[in-house]
Amino acid sequence: MSERLIEALGRLEYRGYDSSGVATIFEGELHRRRAEGKLGNLKTRLKEAPLSGTVGIAHTRWATHGAPTECNAHPHFTDGVAVVHNGIIENFSKLKDALAEVGAKFQTDTDTEVIAHLLTKFRRDGMGCLEAMHAMLKCVEGAFALAILFEDDPATIMVARNGPPLVIGHGDGEMFLGSDAIALAPFTNDITYLNDGDWAVVGKTSVQVFDIEGNVVTRPRHISLATADLVGKGNHPHFMEKEIYEQPEVIARALGHYINVNDSHVTTTSTDIDFAGVESLAISACGTAYLAGLIGKYWFERYARLIVEIDVASEFRYREIPLSPRSAALFISQSGETADTLASLRYCKAHGLRIGAVVNTRESTMAREADAIFPILAGPEIGVASTKAFTCQLAVLAALAIGAGKARGTITDDEEQVLVQSLATLPGVMRQVLNDITPEIELLSRELSHYRDVLYLGRGTSFPLAMEGALKLKEVSYIHAEGYAAGELKHGPIALIDENMPVIVIAPHDRFFDKTVSNMQEVAARGGRIILITDETGASMSKLPTMHTIVLPDVAEIIAPMIFSLPLQLLAYHTAVVMGADVDQPRNLAKSVTVE
Ligand code: M6R
């Protein structure tokens, strides 16, 4: 049993975590093993002291409340109860005080422990397991995916979902639970997805689902497409590198879904959002996906003349933005599970907007709740730092913006053809660039690794790209980096410029080039070290001395963001490798952020 649980945890490892644990019921008693750090530490514990049993729960914890110690690792035990939890119990402090007053002794610094104590209290008050579970769910506020064992009901596992995903797998004479279908793929692809507010009793061969009121409800079963094959690194030392080099193939696949290269038109992929009729567009996302959305904004405004409201999802959801039901909204998310993005989606849905989900995971909650799914078809992205998902998001947004422009009559047939033909060149140019620039980026990374701070500058779509370059570098190498609109330099960041501050300038030879060169001059005049990323025409026109100039081929403006992403990704990757960082699972980061 514990081997299967650990195998399933291994399949979720890419999401990021800092401790892990497992509990089983054996001969009527709960037993657990927990360990700080990587799953290997838990495996060692289990080798020293194996666990028996046929019913069990396991967890990888990403610390929110309390340090990532063994004591704070899940499962949490109280008298006769074991709990694993993803999410945050927002009212835990109030509950903890109330429970302490009636004698509960807390062992950990976590919010989760209140769940176990509540259940123990309700059981002591005379409630059955089912009743105690329902009573506990009425007390807790916040986000949770829960799996719970009761010592005196050893044949079942109780589960509940409010926010973070939770799936139930139907096996042959056995049942499974997991945070996603990938974890269960080796065991079953017959999956029930729980809705928010659902809770369930899972037995050996059955499941009974209840809604928040305690009514029995039916949730459909789906055949999941998640594959049991563990995604490998191939010949690459890290997933991040593999995913960077996969981009020509996955972009070709994504584009194949949205454009027809034979007649150079955008293909209609969904009739669920009528871009021709909408008043405006709202876009919301987090992290790299937000930066893809910001580039998408430039395209929708330019090609489709659509007003675009965009914000990071954690702000968007609370801003009380006046939204019109005649507008549409796009939510961009690799995982399709990010809590803030999902909350923004629901906010827009409640305001009557048509909802589009630009997602990599077609079975995700966002995909299931949207009116239209726009898959980015990047394939599983395992490295925590998003690379291929970013460029696939860009490719899809570019195609959607062109399609919207055509539908709205803001671009002509000829203009559509030229733009689509440019998109079609992407895979080939990406392949060539990846081949050409890798050796020089490896050398440059060694130099960059000696600096503590780096500034990235760009204008137009190169401005969000500057922020993405900075995000990539800081998350994998831990070098402090900021991305700025080049025109903002004089409004503050210029004060930082000296010989210890490399400034990476992203400057394709586009309509902003001369202005960006002026900003470079301002940097050079103050002794700043410039790393210029430009194209052949740009390189021939810029006469400024630089620390290094990376020269990319001249490309059409619409594909420049995807092409110019490549040196930024490689620079972050190689710098992190030189510095000996854990590239695929950087400290403190999770791949799927299912809490606020
Ligand atoms: O799964 P999502 O695309 O919704 O995730 C959003 C962000 O958490 C994600 O892009 C994050 O910023 C990455 N670590 C960036 O590399």
Side-chain angles (χ1 to χ4, degrees), residues 240 285-291 332-339 341-342 358-361 366 376 381 383-387 389-390 393 468 471-472 475-476 586 589-593:
M240 183 175 174
C286 297
T288 288
Y290 162 72
L291 297 171
I332 308 165
S333 174
Q334 188 283 129
S335 61
E337 301 292 351
T338 301
T341 312
L342 181 58
V358 180
V359 288
N360 199 23
T361 315
M366 281 181 221
I376 64 163
E381 189 181 67
V384 163
S386 190
T387 53
F390 177 64
Q393 285 160 349
E468 171 59 8
L471 177 64
K472 220 74 312 163
E475 65 180 339
V476 294
L589 287 175
K591 183 72 182 160
S592 191
V593 183

Side-chain angles (χ1 to χ4, degrees), residues 52 62 67-68 97 217 238 282 381 420 437 496 512 534 549 559 593:
S52 301
W62 184 81
D97 291 347
V217 288
H238 300 102
E381 189 181 67
V420 169
I437 63 172
L496 297 170
F512 310 109
T534 186
T549 300
I559 66 164
V593 183

Side-chain angles (χ1 to χ4, degrees), residues 105-286:
K105 297 269 178 287
F106 283 84
Q107 313 288 330
T108 77
D109 308 315
T110 66
D111 53 329
T112 303
E113 199 184 347
V114 296
I115 295 171
H117 281 289
L118 277 173
L119 291 168
T120 294
K121 178 189 176 310
F122 292 139
R123 295 288 282 128
R124 285 192 186 138
D125 291 348
M127 293 185 196
C129 296
L130 209 69
E131 213 184 339
M133 183 76 183
H134 196 199
M136 177 276 292
L137 290 171
K138 284 186 178 154
C139 297
V140 293
E141 289 165 16
F144 47 83
L146 293 169
I148 293 161
L149 295 177
F150 288 96
E151 208 164 52
D152 51 5
D153 186 7
T156 62
I157 302 179
M158 304 256 183
V159 298
R161 178 196 177 185
N162 192 43
L166 187 60
V167 304
I168 298 172
H170 303 259
D172 186 9
E174 51 188 353
M175 298 289 289
F176 305 93
L177 303 164
S179 285
D180 64 29
I182 296 177
L184 306 190
F187 313 121
T188 181
N189 62 353
D190 183 356
I191 299 290
T192 297
Y193 295 95
L194 290 186
N195 289 352
D196 271 351
D198 283 354
W199 56 289
V201 182
V202 183
K204 197 176 165 204
T205 55
S206 65
V207 57
Q208 189 164 37
V209 185
F210 302 91
D211 65 13
I212 191 67
E213 309 302 335
N215 305 309
V216 175
V217 288
T218 310
R219 300 293 175 225
R221 284 161 74 160
H222 300 264
I223 297 304
S224 160
L225 301 174
T227 159
D229 306 330
L230 263 186
V231 183
K233 292 180 196 152
N235 293 329
H236 299 274
H238 300 102
F239 281 109
M240 183 175 174
E241 190 190 60
K242 173 181 173 249
E243 287 157 6
I244 290 172
Y245 284 93
E246 262 172 19
Q247 289 176 103
E249 282 70 45
V250 293
I251 285 263
R253 185 169 57 195
L255 285 172
H257 196 76
Y258 294 92
I259 63 173
N260 182 336
V261 278
N262 296 322
D263 63 7
S264 301
H265 286 300
V266 171
T267 47
T268 311
T269 50
S270 169
T271 49
D272 292 313
I273 292 190
D274 170 24
F275 283 110
V278 295
E279 223 167 55
S280 64
L281 187 63
I283 302 182
S284 182
C286 297

Side-chain angles (χ1 to χ4, degrees), residues 335-584:
S335 61
E337 301 292 351
T338 301
D340 285 319
T341 312
L342 181 58
S344 303
L345 182 155
R346 289 175 178 162
Y347 177 84
C348 288
K349 205 168 178 174
H351 283 73
L353 280 76
R354 298 296 288 172
I355 307 295
V358 180
V359 288
N360 199 23
T361 315
R362 287 168 100 155
E363 296 168 22
S364 60
T365 310
M366 281 181 221
R368 281 182 284 121
E369 296 194 12
D371 297 307
I373 307 173
F374 301 108
I376 64 163
L377 303 161
E381 189 181 67
I382 306 296
V384 163
S386 190
T387 53
K388 61 176 183 168
F390 177 64
T391 47
C392 284
Q393 285 160 349
L394 290 179
V396 171
L397 289 169
L400 291 179
I402 298 166
K406 191 65 205 318
R408 294 169 69 81
T410 49
I411 56 170
T412 62
D413 211 42
D414 287 351
E415 285 166 332
E416 181 194 15
Q417 289 202 11
V418 171
L419 289 166
V420 169
Q421 279 159 10
S422 302
L423 284 183
T425 64
L426 248 180
V429 183
M430 280 186 138
R431 202 167 290 119
Q432 178 202 333
V433 168
L434 286 169
N435 261 335
D436 292 351
I437 63 172
T438 300
E440 65 175 302
I441 297 257
E442 277 176 11
L443 286 176
L444 179 60
S445 306
R446 281 186 215 151
E447 216 176 327
L448 199 67
S449 66
H450 298 300
Y451 291 91
R452 283 190 47 202
D453 308 281
V454 180
L455 197 61
Y456 288 70
L457 298 176
R459 282 176 185 259
T461 53
S462 298
F463 158 45
L465 210 53
M467 291 197 276
E468 171 59 8
L471 177 64
K472 220 74 312 163
L473 185 71
K474 71 180 123 187
E475 65 180 339
V476 294
S477 75
Y478 317 139
I479 292 175
H480 169 238
E482 298 299 335
Y484 265 93
E488 277 288 292
L489 184 69
K490 283 197 272 299
H491 300 283
I494 199 162
L496 297 170
I497 305 291
D498 63 14
E499 67 285 358
N500 296 316
M501 170 71 92
V503 180
I504 299 182
V505 181
I506 304 159
H509 185 258
D510 55 17
R511 53 212 161 101
F512 310 109
F513 184 74
D514 293 340
K515 291 187 191 302
T516 310
V517 169
S518 301
N519 299 127
M520 271 167 53
Q521 245 141 9
E522 291 153 11
V523 172
R526 284 154 186 88
R529 292 168 183 268
I530 296 167
I531 298 171
L532 172 62
I533 307 180
T534 186
D535 48 30
E536 283 156 6
T537 309
S540 69
M541 296 185 71
S542 159
K543 303 284 173 254
L544 278 175
T546 62
M547 174 173 154
H548 192 88
T549 300
I550 297 168
V551 184
L552 304 176
D554 287 337
V555 293
E557 199 170 324
I558 187 126
I559 66 164
M562 291 74 123
I563 299 300
F564 279 67
S565 296
L566 302 175
L568 300 175
Q569 295 170 349
L570 285 171
L571 199 56
Y573 170 72
H574 286 291
T575 305
V577 170
V578 171
M579 295 174 79
D582 185 352
V583 181
D584 285 334

